[in-house]
């Protein structure tokens, strides 16, 4: 079919009513489930909906349309004695959790917080974080989950946009950059600064010695709550479609931290889509909130989702690989989610004497694991196999799986499920209410298997960037024919016939060698396919040379000079173009990690030491090591 044919077909679908469109999807679902549809019908993902085959048959009827604070309370009204939060030795039941939310609501209202205004939050994953999230949602105000290292004038601008008068900040965060935050508080016109002591909700709260706060605008969290206790509990803000809920921030992979405005629909739709997709979300499970809540994964995937389903949230803000992997075993976590770099703490941990003793005594157990998910960063099959092997050696049968999504999408929009096999570089299939296509430079949807920019249509994501109207004009495109609005991801990949999404790289991650545009991922993939290479990164340095950073497989004696020549020949053979062949190499043991626990590409590309040049001549494949 031509592009014109596809557009006409889409126009026909677009003329259907919303109800008829949903009936069409449901009909597809039931036919696929009964085996009446074999393979693609049209040849384009947005028309064939191949991912629907794995959804539960009631997924179209699971819409939640209410204030997301009410959704939490209603879904746990018969679950009040279950532990909601675990925080440094303290167990907090859902009964206590909900009462603490109400106390937060009254305290915020006491300081004049109204619908449409905002509450500033500078907190990691801790109980007060979740109380304030749901407290502000109750009032219909917007919770701004500020990134501690955002540029200070951007903080001021973001707080002022919605008249933020109350800022709730962790003591350690405030002390670490007091001068910056004092500037922000003054310039943004913050009237009330609530300091949350690190151990405020822990078993050890009474052991804290709190210094006196001299500024009259400042007070501790418990004082804040005490002042609001006699304030009447206001009626919960009624649900409205696309009602603003929270601001989180993208992780800055593209070099810019961007505020993302999520709605109550974002929280609710994600909750229903996770269940329909096939995730195990039964009560009694424990999830680990280590990822910071100023990202959608930290706030929603390992925050509001487990709480909505009555699970236990283990909170520990120490965002470090060894601590993370140790705590997974210590606190009986069933479903850890993190970056590849977080899980690599296992390799460092497994040989430590005290850890081995802890395994023998039962202090650390991993047999309860059944889902391990990597997101937010590249993970090769070799990465996943290494993680699986270590977890299996610790008694777990869990399988490592990948997901894909951005803060703009309200967390993950595609994921792999345990028990299924996926190809290399897969990130699984789209969740319900999420649709992923690949498009060409002109915005035409591409058929299965053709590489293009990934575009996402989802009911789970942002309504706009926050305080960045300049980005909103370039963040979306309207699909020809259907009129659907898709988010442009800036990522390259394609869709398989079975609905599986293959993610390859950032659209901007390319090199220009002798006028030839080369996607760095293509060279990286070729090198990674070598049995002796465990990990690799490719980019163009300041001198215009194509560089390869390589980590060899452990416990192998490798002649690096000989192996580099083999890799160069291999790349040339695959692409038949000498411009694809790296000529500068660095052999390394690890890659730098950013604050987000993603790979720090900025720091990596700034490195200059440790590289050796290996000029490569196509004729005769000769190698000359530069001195």
């Amino acid at each position: 079919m031509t592009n014109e044919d596809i557009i006409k077909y889409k126009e026909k679908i677009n003329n259907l009513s919303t109800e008829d469109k949903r009936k069409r999807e449901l009909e597809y679902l039931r036919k696929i489930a009964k085996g009446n549809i074999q393979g693609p019908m049209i040849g384009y993902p947005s028309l064939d909906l191949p991912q629907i085959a794995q959804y539960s048959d009631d997924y179209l009827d699971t819409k939640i349309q209410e204030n997301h604070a009410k959704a939490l309370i209603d879904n746990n009204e018969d679950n009040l004695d279950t532990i909601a939060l675990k925080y440094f030795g303290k167990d907090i039941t859902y009964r206590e959790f909900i009462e603490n939310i109400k106390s937060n609501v009254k305290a915020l209202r006491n300081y004049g917080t109204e619908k449409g205004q905002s509450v500033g939050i500078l907190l990691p994953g801790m109980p007060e974080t979740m109380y304030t999230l749901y407290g502000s949602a109750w009032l219909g105000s917007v919770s701004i989950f500020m990134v501690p290292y955002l540029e200070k004038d951007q903080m001021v601008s973001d707080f002022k946009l919605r008249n933020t008068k109350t800022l709730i900040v962790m003591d350690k965060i405030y002390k670490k950059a007091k001068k910056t935050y004092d500037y922000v508080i003054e310039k943004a016109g913050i009237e009330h600064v609530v300091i949350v002591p690190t151990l405020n909700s822990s078993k050890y709260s009474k052991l804290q010695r709190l210094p006196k706060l001299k500024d009259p605008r400042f007070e501790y969290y418990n004082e804040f709550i005490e002042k609001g206790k006699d304030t009447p509990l206001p009626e919960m803000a009624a649900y409205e479609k696309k009602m603003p809920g929270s601001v989180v921030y993208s992780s800055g992979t593209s070099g810019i931290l961007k505020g993302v405005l999520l709605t109550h629909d974002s929280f609710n739709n994600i909750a229903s889509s996770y269940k329909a997709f096939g995730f195990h979300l039964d009560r009694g499970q424990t999830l680990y909130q280590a990822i910071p809540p100023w990202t959608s994964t930290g706030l929603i995937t390992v925050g509001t989702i487990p709480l909505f389903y009555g699970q236990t949230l283990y909170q520990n803000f120490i965002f470090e690989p060894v601590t993370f992997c140790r705590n997974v075993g210590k606190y009986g976590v069933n479903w850890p989610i993190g970056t590849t770099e977080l899980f690599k703490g296992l390799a460092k941990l497994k040989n430590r004497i005290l850890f081995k003793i802890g395994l023998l005594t039962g202090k650390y157990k991993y047999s309860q694991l059944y889902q391990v998910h990597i997101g937010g960063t590249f993970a090769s099959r070799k990465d996943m196999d290494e993680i699986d092997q270590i977890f299996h050696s610790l008694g777990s049968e869990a399988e490592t799986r990948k997901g894909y999504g951005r803060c703009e999408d309200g967390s993950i929009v595609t994921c792999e499920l345990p028990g299924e096999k996926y190809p290399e570089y897969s990130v699984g299939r789209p969740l319900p209410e999420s649709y992923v296509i690949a498009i060409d430079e002109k915005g035409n949807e591409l058929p299965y298997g053709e590489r293009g920019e990934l575009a996402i249509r989802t009911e789970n994501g942002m309504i706009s960037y926050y305080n960045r109207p300049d980005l909103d004009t370039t963040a979306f495109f309207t699909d020809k024919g259907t009129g659907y609005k898709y988010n442009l991801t800036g990522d390259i990949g394609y869709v398989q016939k079975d609905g599986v999404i293959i993610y390859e790289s950032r659209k901007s991650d390319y090199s220009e060698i002798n006028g030839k545009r080369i996607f760095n991922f293509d060279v990286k993939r070729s090198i990674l396919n070598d049995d002796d290479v465990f990990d690799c990164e490719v980019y163009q340095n300041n001198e215009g040379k194509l560089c390869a950073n390589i980590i060899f497989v452990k416990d192998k004696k490798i002649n690096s000079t000989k192996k580099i020549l083999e890799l160069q020949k291999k790349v040339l053979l695959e692409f038949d173009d000498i411009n694809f062949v790296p000529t500068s190499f660095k052999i390394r043991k690890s890659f730098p990690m950013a604050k987000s626990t993603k790979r720090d590409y900025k720091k990596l590309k700034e490195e200059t030491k440790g590289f050796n040049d290996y000029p490569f001549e196509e004729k005769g494949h000769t190698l000359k090591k530069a001195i």
Side-chain angles (χ1 to χ4, degrees), residues 135-293:
S136 59
W138 184 301
L139 293 169
S141 61
V142 177
S143 48
I144 300 179
F145 284 86
M146 186 57 64
V147 180
Y149 42 88
L150 189 69
E151 197 275 328
K152 63 182 181 180
D153 287 322
Q154 187 64 51
M155 287 190 194
V156 172
S157 178
D158 286 1
F159 280 145
K160 289 180 72 174
L161 183 63
R162 282 188 175 268
N163 194 28
T164 306
K165 296 301 180 186
T166 300
L167 172 64
I168 302 180
V169 55
M170 183 189 191
D171 55 356
K172 287 183 179 294
I173 291 178
Y174 175 72
K175 290 175 184 177
K176 191 170 183 179
K178 181 179 182 300
K179 187 175 180 180
T180 294
Y181 298 131
D182 284 346
Y183 173 91
V184 171
I185 290 164
E186 187 66 33
K187 294 295 183 181
I190 303 293
E191 297 176 358
H192 307 284
V193 181
V194 181
I195 302 292
V196 182
T198 302
L199 299 177
N200 192 59
S201 290
S202 76
K203 179 181 178 181
Y204 313 102
S205 59
K206 294 182 180 180
L207 301 178
Q208 294 185 116
R209 292 185 178 182
L210 303 179
K212 187 175 180 180
L213 301 173
K214 298 179 181 179
D215 191 319
R217 295 173 297 178
F218 285 58
E219 64 189 341
Y220 288 111
Y221 186 83
N222 290 349
E223 296 172 324
F224 164 69
I225 295 298
E226 181 66 21
K227 288 180 181 179
K229 70 177 184 179
D230 294 328
T231 301
L233 183 68
E235 184 176 345
M236 186 179 291
Y239 164 82
E240 297 173 11
K241 188 172 179 61
K242 295 185 178 181
M243 183 165 74
S246 295
V247 174
V248 293
Y249 286 79
S250 69
S251 61
T253 303
S254 61
I256 304 172
L257 283 166
K258 303 178 288 290
V260 170
L261 182 57
L262 302 175
T263 67
H264 287 252
D265 296 309
S266 303
F267 289 91
N268 293 335
N269 291 340
I270 293 170
S272 59
S273 70
Y274 273 42
K275 188 75 170 180
F277 185 69
F279 287 129
H280 297 292
L281 294 166
D282 301 329
R283 289 177 178 172
Q285 296 183 47
T286 298
L287 275 81
Y288 190 161
Q289 188 182 39
I291 301 171

Side-chain angles (χ1 to χ4, degrees), residues 445-618:
E445 180 179 355
L446 293 169
Y448 298 114
E450 288 196 19
R451 170 191 278 180
E453 180 176 0
L454 296 178
I456 296 169
R457 175 168 68 91
T458 178
E459 297 293 323
N460 303 344
M462 69 177 185
I463 50 173
S464 67
Y465 282 108
Y466 183 72
N467 202 14
R468 292 295 303 271
D470 56 312
L471 294 176
D472 287 331
T473 59
T474 58
F476 305 98
F477 92 100
T478 301
D479 182 46
K480 300 171 185 176
T482 64
Y484 288 137
K485 187 169 77 170
Y486 281 79
N487 297 336
L488 292 168
T489 66
D491 294 326
I492 295 295
Y494 58 90
V495 185
Q496 294 192 156
K497 290 182 179 180
D498 58 0
V500 169
I501 310 301
I502 303 298
Y503 169 82
E504 296 184 316
S505 181
R506 293 288 298 168
K507 185 179 179 181
S508 58
D509 184 25
Y510 64 85
S511 300
E512 290 275 358
I513 307 295
N514 296 321
K516 176 87 172 184
R517 175 174 290 193
I518 295 167
F519 280 110
N520 296 324
F521 172 80
D522 287 333
V523 182
K524 172 180 175 176
R525 180 190 57 205
S526 180
I527 293 174
L528 273 176
N529 285 338
D530 189 276
D531 291 339
D532 291 331
V533 177
F534 180 76
D535 208 344
C536 175
E537 288 294 346
V538 175
Y539 56 86
Q540 188 174 18
N541 68 11
N542 292 332
E543 298 176 3
K545 298 174 182 176
L546 195 61
C547 299
N549 291 257
I550 292 177
I551 297 176
F552 287 125
V553 172
K554 296 176 183 177
D555 304 322
K556 273 193 173 185
K557 292 183 178 180
I558 297 170
N559 182 316
S560 59
T561 299
K562 182 179 178 181
K563 174 53 67 174
I564 286 171
L565 176 58
E566 289 179 11
L567 294 173
Q568 288 179 313
K569 290 180 178 179
K570 182 178 180 180
V571 171
L572 180 62
L573 182 64
E574 180 172 348
F575 298 104
D576 194 27
D577 187 334
I578 197 169
N579 292 305
F580 281 76
V581 179
T583 56
S584 183
F585 288 80
K586 181 175 181 177
I587 309 305
R588 55 196 309 144
K589 293 183 179 180
S590 63
F591 286 105
M593 186 178 74
K595 292 178 181 178
S596 63
T597 75
K598 296 183 179 182
R599 188 161 291 177
D600 193 334
Y601 292 102
K602 182 177 183 295
K603 186 175 181 179
L604 178 66
K605 293 177 181 180
E606 290 173 349
E607 294 179 356
T608 56
K609 296 181 179 180
F611 287 92
N612 285 306
D613 287 346
Y614 292 82
F616 185 79
E617 295 180 4
E618 185 173 6

